Amino acid sequence: MLYESDRQEMIDAGIALDRYRLISLSGGNVSVRKGGHILVTPTGMNYEKLVPSDIVVMDPAGKIVEGERRPSVDTVAILYILSHLPKVNAVIHTHQPYATAVGLVLDELPGFCTSLVNTTLGAVKVAPYSGAASLDMGVKAVESIGDKRAVILRNHGVITVGPTLKDA
C-alpha cells in the first residue's frame, strides 16, 4: 500500500479535528500531496473508524490510483487548490461553527492575537459564497487566501493549507 504512514497521519489529524470540535461526524476532509499523488479522505466516513486503506490515492487529475472508497465530495475543489498553490502540500476543510459564524458578519477575521497570526500568517479573509462540493469552492478559496494559511468560506466553513499537514 502506498503512503501508509501518511494515510495514518491524515486519520490522526481527522480525529484531532473532531476532538477539538472543528468537525462533527464525517464532515470536513483532509488531503495531502505526496510523491506526485493526492491523498484524500473518503466521503461520509467517521475518522475514528477509518483505517489507512480507506484513504484514496489519486493522480493530480483526480484519477484513482489506489483505494476502494469514494473520495471526499470536495475533491474537485481540493485538486484545484493544489494545482494553483504549488507550495501547498496539505489542505484541511472543516465546518467549525465559530469561524463559520464570523463569515456571516465579517469580510475578514483580523489578526487580533499572536497565536492566530502565527498559525495563519495574518488576518483571515472570508471568501465569497460558493456551493459546497464545487469547483467554485476551490476557485474562491484560491482567490481569497493570498499568502495566508487559512480562508473562511462564507456560509460554509474553513479551508486551511500548508506545506505540511501539521502546518495546515
Side-chain angles (χ1 to χ4, degrees):
M1 177 172 36
L2 296 169
Y3 315 112
E4 187 167 4
S5 64
D6 296 293
R7 292 178 190 209
Q8 186 60 54
E9 184 182 7
M10 292 169 65
I11 293 167
D12 294 343
I15 291 169
L17 292 170
D18 186 41
R19 183 177 328 118
Y20 293 119
R21 298 185 178 155
L22 300 176
I23 60 169
S24 62
L25 302 173
S26 63
N29 49 68
V30 178
S31 306
V32 171
R33 180 189 347 238
K34 189 80 173 189
H37 294 111
I38 311 297
L39 289 69
V40 181
T41 52
T43 192
M45 292 188 69
N46 185 308
Y47 287 96
E48 291 183 0
K49 298 189 186 290
L50 291 179
V51 295
S53 61
D54 290 323
I55 304 297
V56 180
V57 179
M58 56 185 64
D59 69 18
K63 180 181 177 200
I64 295 177
V65 173
E66 192 171 273
E68 300 295 320
R69 302 288 183 189
R70 196 172 121 222
S72 168
V73 297
D74 295 320
T75 296
V76 66
I78 293 163
L79 293 175
Y80 184 89
I81 292 166
L82 290 170
S83 71
H84 286 79
L85 300 176
K87 292 180 182 178
V88 167
N89 292 311
V91 178
I92 298 175
H93 172 48
T94 65
H95 297 137
Q96 50 190 285
Y98 296 116
T100 302
V102 166
L104 296 173
V105 296
L106 295 176
D107 292 326
E108 182 176 88
L109 178 63
F112 62 89
C113 66
T114 304
S115 58
L116 175 69
V117 172
N118 289 343
T119 303
T120 64
L121 307 179
V124 178
K125 289 186 178 179
V126 176
Y129 176 77
S130 61
S134 71
L135 177 62
D136 196 38
M137 184 173 115
V139 171
K140 295 277 185 351
V142 168
E143 288 173 351
S144 300
I145 202 164
D147 61 351
K148 305 301 186 280
R149 287 194 181 150
V151 62
I152 297 171
L153 306 172
R154 189 169 309 279
N155 300 7
H156 186 156
V158 174
I159 289 181
T160 61
V161 301
T164 69
L165 185 56
K166 183 177 181 193
D167 293 320

